[in-house]
Structure formats: C-alpha cells, structure tokens
Amino acid sequence: MASLLELKEIFRNADAVCFDVDSTVIREEGIDELAKFCGVGDAVAEMTRRAMGGTVTFKAALTARLGLIRPSYEQVQKLISDNPPQLTPGIRRDGFVQLFSSKGELVSRLQQRGVQVFLVSGGFQSIVEHVALQLNIPTANVFANRLKFYFNGEYAGFDETQPTAESGGKGKVITHLKEQFHFKKVVMIGDGATDMEACPPADCFIGFGGNVIRKQVKEKAKWYITHFDELLKELEER
C-alpha cells in the first residue's frame, strides 16, 4: 500500500485526474437540490446521507430517490437556470478568488501541465455538463447519469446502463479511461464512499472534506484534504 509521500508523487506526475462533482467540485449535492426544488428535500437528503456513507447500494439509493422526486425535463432545466450549482470556494489571492472560478484555477493548472481532467459523477449529466463548461472541461470528459423523459417531458427513469449508476461504477470508468488512453497514473478526488472505492483501479485517492466530511472516508483515506489549495501547493513542489 502506497505511503502518503508516494501518493503525493503520483498526484504530481498524474496523467489524468478524475473529480467527483457533488460536494467536491460543487458545494451541494445536485440530487438534494433537485429534490428541494421539487418539494421532497428532507426525505431525499436522508437517503443521500445513507448512500454516501456506504450503507446502501448506490443504484438502490438512486432509484429510490428519483422515484420520490420524479423530476420533469422542465424542472431540471429550471433548476440549472434559477439555482445553478455553486462552485467550491478556494483560495484568497489578490482578493477573493474562487478556486473553481470561470478560469478554473486548479483545473486549468492541471491542464497546463498536460493532465487530462475528467468529471466522474453519480449526479446528472445535464447538471455536470453545466459545471464542465464553467471549468473549460470538454463534455466528452464527463461521465454521469442520464435522466430519461417521456415526449411530454415527464420523468421516465434513468439510464441504468451507465457505469456511474451503480456501486463500483466510478472504478469502471477509470478502468475504461486507462484502457482507452493508456494512462499510467490516474488520481480520483472526492468526498464519498463511491469515490474511495474507485481506488484501485485509480492509482491514488484523495479524500475531500471541504464541503462535507464523510466519517468513513476521513477515517480510511490515507490522503485527506479540506482545501484545494493543498493540491495547488503540491503542484508547486515540482
């Protein structure tokens, strides 16, 4: 098992970095925001806590939560336009700057180093693509769940064939990326159990607690951070 120093070396020399989105790149859980928007916030938030704590399979939790919310296409689009995802704050440099601002400081720093950046999320494609656009991440580098709608816009379920729809799905995405692009060193960064279980096949997992601390992840992750400037500092080491 790699030491903390070895994990930091992997991060500094990574070919690709995969970020979770909900409670990592953005401050909130997208499904909880959608639930609140649709009037079932409290019940769904409790389901999310159980899912992120690793006490129930991800697909079972996702199915149950969406069964309660039953969001229409119009509601999803209105959520994005009226309550866009709040990007995670970062560092103060020459005045307050968001780490994930339109320039996407950490993301752009990685990209400048030739690192491929991906968003791998159990959230919803339409919301995650909105985040990707703000960070100058190609939508082809987004892996997330796709909601399905009937012709009249009513909720029709979700695409259960997507790897991110089930426990272990993020690991499947990383395996796919390694096979497709021949990446040697892939880093996964996230707040939840589904992120931590993606390593392996990821070569390094970095737990993130800047928005919410998941006890299981904080206890088990060898490298755990609460501010993204810790990763910026690591990049400056080289």
Side-chain angles (χ1 to χ4, degrees):
M1 186 175 290
S3 68
L4 179 57
L5 284 175
E6 288 170 332
L7 292 178
K8 290 184 175 183
E9 181 69 15
I10 291 170
F11 173 68
R12 288 195 297 269
N13 293 281
D15 302 306
V17 174
C18 298
F19 287 91
D20 173 47
V21 176
D22 294 337
S23 296
T24 300
V25 170
I26 64 174
R27 302 185 69 173
E28 60 274 91
E29 289 287 325
I31 195 167
D32 289 350
E33 295 305 304
L34 183 59
K36 284 191 281 187
F37 197 76
C38 296
V40 290
D42 290 344
V44 170
E46 177 57 31
M47 289 182 177
T48 298
R49 280 192 290 273
R50 291 203 299 271
M52 295 306 293
T55 58
V56 64
T57 66
F58 184 82
K59 181 177 280 188
L62 183 61
T63 301
R65 288 178 291 178
L66 284 171
L68 268 179
I69 304 169
R70 301 193 65 80
S72 68
Y73 176 81
E74 182 181 359
Q75 285 174 317
V76 173
Q77 297 307 310
K78 191 168 177 57
L79 171 69
I80 294 171
S81 62
D82 292 3
N83 299 288
Q86 299 298 303
L87 299 169
T88 298
I91 56 173
R92 185 180 298 272
R93 185 176 293 169
D94 297 323
F96 179 76
V97 180
Q98 282 193 320
L99 183 58
F100 287 103
S101 66
S102 59
K103 294 182 180 179
E105 183 161 350
L106 178 58
V107 170
S108 63
R109 189 76 63 86
L110 288 166
Q111 290 170 333
Q112 288 165 9
R113 295 164 64 96
V115 179
Q116 288 288 318
V117 178
F118 297 86
L119 299 181
V120 183
S121 173
F124 305 126
Q125 188 84 15
S126 53
I127 296 174
V128 177
E129 285 186 352
H130 175 82
V131 174
L133 288 171
Q134 295 180 68
L135 301 176
N136 296 316
I137 295 173
T139 54
N141 287 19
V142 169
F143 293 85
N145 289 315
R146 297 179 182 273
L147 294 173
K148 298 194 292 189
F149 304 98
Y150 293 111
F151 287 114
N152 64 0
E154 290 182 0
Y155 174 69
F158 64 96
D159 184 354
E160 297 188 28
T161 68
Q162 293 294 317
T164 50
E166 58 186 323
S167 298
K170 292 180 180 180
K172 290 180 180 178
V173 170
I174 291 172
T175 296
H176 164 74
L177 293 175
K178 284 188 163 188
E179 291 174 351
Q180 181 176 357
F181 298 106
H182 307 291
F183 294 140
K184 300 297 183 186
K185 295 178 181 177
V186 177
V187 175
M188 180 73 211
I189 301 172
D191 67 288
T194 60
D195 307 309
M196 186 166 59
E197 70 181 9
C199 181
D203 303 281
C204 169
F205 169 67
I206 304 171
F208 180 72
N211 292 308
V212 61
I213 293 176
R214 316 282 182 192
K215 183 180 179 183
Q216 176 191 17
V217 176
K218 184 177 182 181
E219 289 176 350
K220 293 184 177 181
K222 185 161 289 185
W223 190 1
Y224 194 83
I225 65 171
T226 54
H227 299 283
F228 283 115
D229 58 1
E230 295 175 56
L231 299 184
L232 286 166
K233 288 175 184 176
E234 286 300 324
L235 294 179
E236 290 167 3
E237 290 288 314
R238 182 177 169 185

